[in-house]
Amino acid sequence: MGKISDDAEALLNVHYRKYKTQGTITNTNSYRADGLLRGNYVPSTGYNDVSTNADNWTESSQTGGNLNLKWNVGKLALTSITGFEGFKNEGLTDNDNTPLEISRQHTDSESRQISQEFRITSPREDQWNWLGGVHLFKETIDSLTQTGKLPASQVANSSVASSGPSVTYNDAKLKHETTSFSIFGNTTYNWTDDFATSAGLSWSRERKEYDLVRRASSGTGSFSNLGHWWDSYTGNFAAASLTSGSYNVSDSATWDRWSYDFTPEYKLSPTDRVFFKYAHGIKSGGFNTAATNQLALNQVKPEQLDSYEIGYKSEWLAGRLNFNATAFYYDYQDIQVNVVGQNAQAGGTVSYLQNVDSAKTYGLELEVQALPTNDWFVSGSLGLLSTKFEDAQILNNGGNFDGNRLVRSPNVTANLLTNYTFHVDNGAKVVLGGDARFLSKQYYYVTPQGVDSTGVYRSGLEQGAFTIVNARISYVTPGNKYTVTAYANNLFDKHYLQHSTPAYSAGQSIFGDNVIQGAVRTVGVSFAAAF
């Protein structure tokens, strides 16, 4: 914060980031005994092998800033926060992740966000302290996506011929706007030195609207420039229909919603306390504007969550040992999920962002931090989680999956971290450190989980239990001014799936899914300076 006057401060932050990627980390698998994926292509089972025939690259930039102004008016503090963020992204990808010439994609998108918040707060040390404010937000997204299949005979590295039309092309132009306004407040009352209650309340109005035009090729066509195929297609387009992939749709929706919470807290002693928290929260609604088929172009209602938490926080041995425990129960209504699968009405694979009526989550989190000596720090945590969809009906006759688990929700999560500091005579330090993270089995999609409706075990859509270990050694100069660190992430080179996307469809003679391998052992050196 920079001081403007005795009662005013200002902080301006401006940032810019530009980055590029080259290549892909997405591969394919096969569930057939002979390893066949599609056509006569058999993907490699090597962990580091990726085989594609189309360019894969992205160029992205981010520009933004925020201005934080604060005025002291008597005992009150007035705060204004103004923010702007701009994103640009362009890229090419091989959509089928194989050397087959089936589908490649070009994207060019831009988004702009403007926000403004005004807040007034009372002193936190008052027996009754509070804050209130308003928040305004506006976002505009412009996106153009083109997908094509080029003549295989004219494409380098297209090692295996593919079936279907010799040339395809489609494009989707989207303009999406979000405007929101919210009023919020929070208050804490300290009834005694040991007992306090806090409560919060907010009301929001949000409006989203979009225009989406999608065109899918029909019959034969050609590209005048294969190196710039995304804007050189000449050919006919299919008439708009539910299943053709061509449509022109505009829609809008406005949602009003309340969010609130209540937290009583009691100090058992100066070093330990218990608390309970109830909160009702809302996740924004929206539209499935990434739909490649009009059957999937649905509106998604806001997701609602009622959460209940009870916890214990404590310090022991003069602060050398901290122990925290929290038990929670989450009750979801209209939970938003992403479903990808074969749809009979669409005659192909369709991706849905849709609501599921309800889901329940139970959990327990334990955390310990210890300082056995002044130079040795140890931290560990354990999370236990149980999740279940209670009413999971998939759109357009997609089936019912009651009882399936929430995605990326392992039943057990454990973390262990330790650092030991050696002091050098000149005032420098050498710090040895390491950490380990364990995750039990998790699923990447609502459905399928395990064996699908055709009896095929879709192992590529889940990840079994695994542990990742990282290690590092740092040299810190006197005064903590400079730090040089050598590190090894994934020290034991554990192989695991970072993510996956469904592709399997026996009816279309596709016998595997797309898999994204996790990062292999990575060794490097970093340098940091403090000013």
Side-chain angles (χ1 to χ4, degrees), residues 31 99 107 110 152 217 315 341 350 494 511:
Y31 302 118
T107 58
E110 180 178 3
S217 62
E315 295 181 6
V350 174
K494 175 64 181 177
F511 303 106

Side-chain angles (χ1 to χ4, degrees), residues 141-400:
I141 300 174
D142 292 293
S143 174
L144 177 61
T145 302
Q146 298 119 323
T147 303
K149 175 182 178 182
L150 309 187
S153 60
Q154 301 178 35
V155 179
N157 302 320
S158 183
S159 59
V160 185
S162 59
S163 59
S166 59
V167 168
T168 62
Y169 174 82
N170 64 69
D171 55 33
K173 187 175 182 179
L174 169 69
K175 185 176 183 63
H176 188 284
E177 292 187 353
T178 301
T179 305
S180 70
F181 169 78
S182 62
I183 305 174
F184 60 89
N186 185 274
T187 181
T188 298
Y189 192 84
N190 297 284
W191 301 90
T192 68
D193 290 341
D194 298 325
F195 179 63
T197 56
S198 299
L201 179 67
S202 69
W203 176 84
S204 299
R205 167 165 288 183
E206 182 176 53
R207 178 176 176 80
K208 292 186 176 182
E209 52 189 309
Y210 75 91
D211 296 298
L212 176 59
V213 178
R214 191 176 192 278
R215 303 182 301 171
S217 62
S218 174
T220 60
S222 62
F223 298 91
S224 59
N225 183 350
L226 296 182
H228 224 260
W229 60 267
W230 52 91
D231 57 8
S232 65
Y233 174 77
T234 301
N236 297 321
F237 291 94
S241 72
L242 285 179
T243 59
S244 69
S246 292
Y247 52 81
N248 185 341
V249 180
S250 298
D251 203 353
S252 63
T254 300
W255 298 280
D256 296 337
R257 57 184 186 266
W258 291 93
S259 297
Y260 39 87
D261 63 81
F262 176 70
T263 306
E265 178 179 290
Y266 184 75
K267 291 183 180 179
L268 302 173
S269 74
T271 57
D272 59 339
R273 59 190 173 93
V274 293
F275 69 91
F276 170 79
K277 181 176 183 178
Y278 164 73
H280 176 79
I282 303 290
K283 180 180 178 180
S284 176
F287 304 94
N288 191 20
T289 54
T292 57
N293 186 288
Q294 197 168 352
L295 285 170
L297 193 64
N298 54 289
Q299 182 182 136
V300 182
K301 295 183 292 186
E303 175 181 303
Q304 302 184 56
L305 171 63
D306 288 293
S307 66
Y308 305 81
E309 298 181 16
I310 184 169
Y312 171 69
K313 296 182 181 293
S314 63
E315 295 181 6
W316 305 79
L317 304 176
R320 285 187 173 273
L321 178 65
N322 296 338
F323 173 73
N324 303 320
T326 304
F328 58 87
Y329 165 64
Y330 294 163
D331 183 2
Y332 292 92
Q333 301 295 320
D334 293 323
I335 184 171
Q336 298 172 7
V337 299
N338 185 52
V339 179
V340 182
Q342 184 72 11
N343 182 274
Q345 289 179 265
T349 300
V350 174
S351 174
Y352 294 105
L353 179 64
Q354 69 159 88
N355 294 105
V356 166
D357 283 351
S358 62
K360 300 288 191 295
T361 296
Y362 306 83
L364 175 66
E365 295 179 348
L366 305 174
E367 181 183 17
V368 176
Q369 294 181 338
L371 198 64
T373 72
N374 290 337
D375 297 319
W376 183 22
F377 174 77
V378 181
S379 174
S381 64
L382 174 67
L384 305 176
L385 184 66
S386 175
T387 66
K388 181 176 68 173
F389 288 103
E390 290 198 333
D391 190 356
Q393 185 67 44
I394 307 306
L395 295 175
N396 293 323
N397 302 317
N400 186 284

Side-chain angles (χ1 to χ4, degrees), residues 23-66:
T24 180
I25 58 174
T26 304
N27 205 346
T28 53
N29 68 359
S30 173
Y31 302 118
R32 285 181 41 143
D34 60 4
L36 187 70
L37 172 65
R38 61 193 304 176
N40 60 344
Y41 173 60
V42 177
S44 169
T45 57
Y47 186 80
N48 296 320
D49 292 344
V50 173
S51 183
T52 64
N53 73 298
D55 290 336
N56 288 272
W57 57 262
T58 62
E59 293 186 2
S60 304
S61 64
Q62 176 183 358
T63 305
N66 59 74

